[in-house]
Amino acid sequence: MFKKSLVLFSLLLTVACDMEAPQQAESPSKAAKPQQESTGPAHGQDTLETTLIHNAMIYTMDRGFSTADAILFDSSGRIHNVGGEQAMLEAFPDALRIDLRGRTMIPGLIDSHAHLYGLALSLSQAQLRDTSSKDEVIQRLREQEKHLSEGDWLLGRGWDQNDWPVKEFPSRADLDSAFPGRPVWLRRIDGHAGWANSAALAMADQDLSGDWQPQGGYIYRDEEGQASGVLGDGAMELVENAVPEISGELLQASLGLALQQMISLGLTGVHDMGINRKVLELYQQRIAAGQFPTRVYAFTDGAGETLDWLCENGAIEDASGRLSMRAVKLYIDGAMGSRGAALLADYSDDAGNDGLLFMPPEDLGAKIDKAMACGLQVGVHAIGDRGNRVALDALETSMQGYPDNPGRHRVEHAQTLTVDDIPRFAELGVIAAMQPTHATSDMYWVEGRLGPERVVYAYAWRSLLDSGARLALGSDFPVEQVNPMLGIHAAVTRQDTRGWPPGGWYPNEKISREEAVRGFTLDAAWAGFMEASVGSLESGKRADFIVLDQDVFEIEAAGIATVRVLQTWLDGELVYSYP
Ligand SMILES: [Zn+2]
């Protein structure tokens, strides 16, 4: 799998030298003899190497929210003991010791709704958001080009000329000197324009010069009538049609970056919301190569081919414990920002428009039946209060039809509810899979869409928990940022990272830190049928944990977003260490 212990521990020693990083790998103390005969069974001391991390502030996240200051695990990656330091130092004198110097340890975090493959794709492109000049754009593009092979296009997105000293549209000439041969295509921040270099423009399937314009689009041209580099709306496809499918190498490199980003932020697990067989195989290849430092719980991309294949061949449970697929992702409505979420009454800022169901309720029911008949779990994306009602109704009906299905069905987002539907989650045993940062991203404008009466039942984490529902929390990355600390911060404060609004947005829906972290650990594990092996630090479970630079349960709430992950351990192996 990953670099083996010796390499790891020498790496750890380097880390221990700077700052106040946790100290590593003392030699087992010979002075500290057990005073009692035996404090417990001498697990695994015969063949497996054991490691004892002590002097730690461990939040086990078990159901009782218990804490400990030492943890013992072996080289098979299983936890033997979690408990008091003194007794464990005495009971396990031969274990390799790591002094954590009082640092905080919690279970590895699990993002219960995200898009790992989507993150990889987005990392295959240069991020040009917040660039302060065209020079900075070029700089970031050069950085991105390092990951490319010959023939790959250099793609990017997020530029906005309003952020630059010269606020005019850029031109192909701005890119040509740095990238004379490689096609470059950069989407503007709003997705309504693209910026190409000459090599990319030359790949368009039509001659872009002259004075003609495409349907619904605009080609910007210079005085000579040549395309200047920027294509608006319907003209974008003239170049976009020529962009080749992402190469296997670039995809692998980007997936590597995405996984690295996850573990550097303390994510040892993710529920990947909708992938096909090709992506599944990509993950399997990496697992076989020992390059998959996280656990993926995958959903199919709808009720089509991937589901058929899964039904035929049975659920995937990779022996590595790093990949399973036994769930189906469905959609009933769209998003609030674009007024695509299905509401029971009109949008408050758009009379006559109550959004759109993606399909008639009976079609959703048929898809759910198909998944449940195969014994699979179902997650239905629902944003509007009507979308949520239809999703709950359909799940309720299908669950009656398939009483042998193991259940734990989910509504993804569960964003806007009615007072009548909130208790139905607990009654039906349906999980609310929610993303706290959606609330803090939407809070600036969403009341306009919903009005003051409906908005109080939106992002209703507290009400759902109080009704007895289970919350599985996540981020929806790459829609939101990957960092789960931002989600915990948003759940606890209902404020953005600048502290707005004072007191929090609809603060009665805040949840506690314990509840928020549970939503990213044990209940996320439960939502993926993995609570017996991960989600809390208890004996017999996998040693997936992270070490933090601050105590996320004790610091000022405003500081939660700044908590940094110092180490990430997966199956008892160090897979990330800061920096
Ligand atoms: Zn999503």
Side-chain angles (χ1 to χ4, degrees):
M1 285 264 114
F2 295 90
K3 295 174 200 156
K4 277 297 174 191
S5 354
L6 275 179
V7 186
L8 284 176
F9 285 115
S10 58
L11 190 109
L12 280 165
L13 279 168
T14 332
V15 174
C17 296
D18 45 62
M19 303 190 309
E20 285 183 37
Q23 195 184 36
Q24 304 294 340
E26 313 159 14
S27 52
S29 159
K30 282 169 186 123
K33 283 261 177 231
Q35 294 184 331
Q36 291 160 300
E37 271 290 65
S38 157
T39 329
H43 293 284
Q45 287 182 359
D46 29 352
T47 50
L48 294 171
E49 226 175 84
T50 53
T51 302
L52 176 59
I53 298 185
H54 64 101
N55 191 12
M57 178 63 226
I58 302 174
Y59 294 92
T60 68
M61 293 313 297
D62 64 5
R63 289 283 165 211
F65 194 58
S66 58
T67 56
D69 47 22
I71 182 170
L72 182 85
F73 53 92
D74 67 35
S75 49
S76 79
R78 294 283 171 176
I79 298 171
H80 286 213
N81 259 11
V82 185
E85 170 167 32
Q86 209 44 50
M88 282 171 66
L89 285 172
E90 286 167 9
F92 305 103
D94 297 327
L96 178 76
R97 292 181 180 181
I98 298 175
D99 181 345
L100 215 58
R101 295 182 177 174
R103 293 278 197 221
T104 300
M105 178 193 290
I106 62 173
L109 298 171
I110 301 166
D111 190 318
S112 61
H113 181 122
H115 305 268
L116 174 57
Y117 183 69
L119 179 65
L121 287 182
S122 84
L123 292 176
S124 74
Q125 302 197 359
Q127 307 303 314
L128 305 176
R129 219 171 225 270
D130 303 322
T131 44
S132 56
S133 65
K134 283 189 262 191
D135 283 345
E136 196 183 345
V137 170
I138 303 285
Q139 222 173 53
R140 291 200 197 174
L141 290 174
R142 284 195 204 277
E143 210 36 56
Q144 189 69 27
E145 197 185 20
K146 291 179 186 160
H147 305 293
L148 303 183
S149 315
E150 229 181 284
D152 286 338
W153 282 48
L154 179 46
L155 302 172
R157 61 178 180 190
W159 60 272
D160 183 350
Q161 79 284 0
N162 294 313
D163 296 341
W164 304 337
V166 179
K167 302 190 189 326
E168 279 157 33
F169 267 154
S171 73
R172 60 190 155 95
D174 296 322
L175 300 168
D176 284 349
S177 52
F179 309 101
R182 188 189 291 279
V184 180
W185 174 245
L186 313 170
R187 287 175 75 101
R188 197 176 178 277
I189 188 160
D190 59 3
H192 286 285
W195 170 22
N197 68 349
S198 296
L201 292 171
M203 308 287 267
D205 45 11
Q206 288 176 61
D207 183 358
L208 301 178
S209 60
D211 55 8
W212 63 281
Q213 289 295 350
Q215 184 77 29
Y218 193 80
I219 302 171
Y220 290 80
R221 297 197 175 93
D222 57 23
E223 291 100 65
E224 280 97 61
Q226 301 295 318
S228 64
V230 172
L231 305 175
D233 287 310
M236 295 169 67
E237 64 185 39
L238 294 167
V239 163
E240 246 157 34
N241 288 341
V243 177
E245 209 187 322
I246 185 168
S247 71
E249 288 105 312
L250 181 57
L251 192 52
Q252 282 292 4
S254 307
L255 185 54
L257 290 175
L259 290 165
Q260 193 55 37
Q261 195 172 346
M262 275 183 61
I263 56 170
S264 73
L265 294 165
L267 288 170
T268 54
V270 60
H271 297 186
D272 201 356
M273 300 312 296
I275 62 169
N276 59 26
R277 261 176 87 182
K278 237 172 96 181
V279 178
L280 189 78
E281 279 161 15
L282 191 71
Y283 294 171
Q284 285 167 328
Q285 284 163 20
R286 280 192 90 93
I287 290 173
Q291 295 172 337
F292 206 72
T294 194
R295 302 187 198 283
V296 168
Y297 180 79
F299 283 67
T300 68
D301 54 350
E305 256 175 48
T306 318
L307 171 57
D308 292 339
W309 172 77
L310 204 58
C311 280
E312 233 165 81
N313 294 276
I316 306 282
E317 284 294 348
D318 196 272
S320 64
R322 305 235 168 143
L323 180 64
S324 48
M325 191 189 226
R326 46 162 302 161
V328 177
K329 167 83 181 291
L330 302 171
Y331 282 85
I332 189 58
D333 67 353
M336 197 67 75
S338 52
R339 298 189 186 81
L343 298 180
L344 291 161
D346 290 354
Y347 278 89
S348 297
D349 57 3
D350 193 8
N353 179 10
D354 61 1
L356 205 68
L357 287 180
F358 278 11
M359 64 189 88
E362 54 274 22
D363 288 9
L364 177 68
K367 288 175 199 282
I368 294 175
D369 281 350
K370 182 175 167 184
M372 286 195 188
C374 293
L376 301 172
Q377 179 193 35
V378 176
V380 184
H381 164 119
I383 301 272
D385 51 9
R386 181 157 168 243
N388 274 279
R389 178 160 301 168
V390 170
L392 287 167
D393 288 348
L395 286 170
E396 182 172 16
T397 306
S398 295
M399 282 159 72
Q400 287 160 2
Y402 297 94
D404 295 335
N405 180 289
R408 303 194 191 182
H409 304 298
R410 325 176 5 160
V411 173
E412 305 300 324
H413 311 304
Q415 206 170 85
T416 311
L417 303 169
T418 59
V419 69
D420 297 333
D421 284 335
I422 286 174
R424 293 179 69 198
F425 285 82
E427 284 159 20
L428 297 171
V430 167
I431 299 163
M434 303 179 80
Q435 303 75 37
T437 42
H438 278 340
T440 48
S441 291
D442 299 354
M443 64 186 176
Y444 309 103
W445 50 264
V446 76
E447 188 163 349
R449 298 276 191 281
L450 294 173
E453 272 133 49
R454 282 183 294 197
V455 77
V456 298
Y457 302 113
Y459 319 88
W461 315 316
R462 174 84 270 144
S463 300
L464 281 161
L465 278 178
D466 288 348
S467 74
R470 203 183 291 257
L471 293 189
L473 301 181
S475 69
D476 209 4
F477 70 69
V479 177
E480 302 280 352
Q481 294 185 64
V482 180
N483 186 355
M485 289 300 163
L486 298 176
I488 295 168
H489 172 265
V492 168
T493 64
R494 291 181 70 104
Q495 290 176 325
D496 62 24
T497 52
R498 295 163 304 164
W500 190 91
W505 185 72
Y506 291 97
N508 51 328
E509 292 294 343
K510 286 179 190 174
I511 60 177
S512 71
R513 298 178 199 213
E514 180 187 337
E515 289 163 336
V517 175
R518 178 155 293 126
F520 275 102
T521 53
L522 194 52
D523 282 347
W526 198 85
F529 292 89
M530 291 168 81
E531 77 283 1
S533 62
V534 295
S536 62
L537 301 176
E538 296 178 76
S539 92
K541 287 198 176 187
R542 293 180 183 275
D544 291 3
F545 54 84
I546 58 178
V547 177
L548 306 176
D549 71 339
Q550 301 171 77
D551 186 332
V552 68
F553 292 100
E554 288 296 331
I555 57 168
E556 287 252 347
I560 295 173
T562 69
V563 172
R564 199 188 281 277
V565 173
L566 298 178
Q567 295 179 354
T568 300
W569 293 70
L570 187 74
D571 282 324
E573 279 190 68
L574 184 76
V575 293
Y576 167 78
S577 175
Y578 170 84

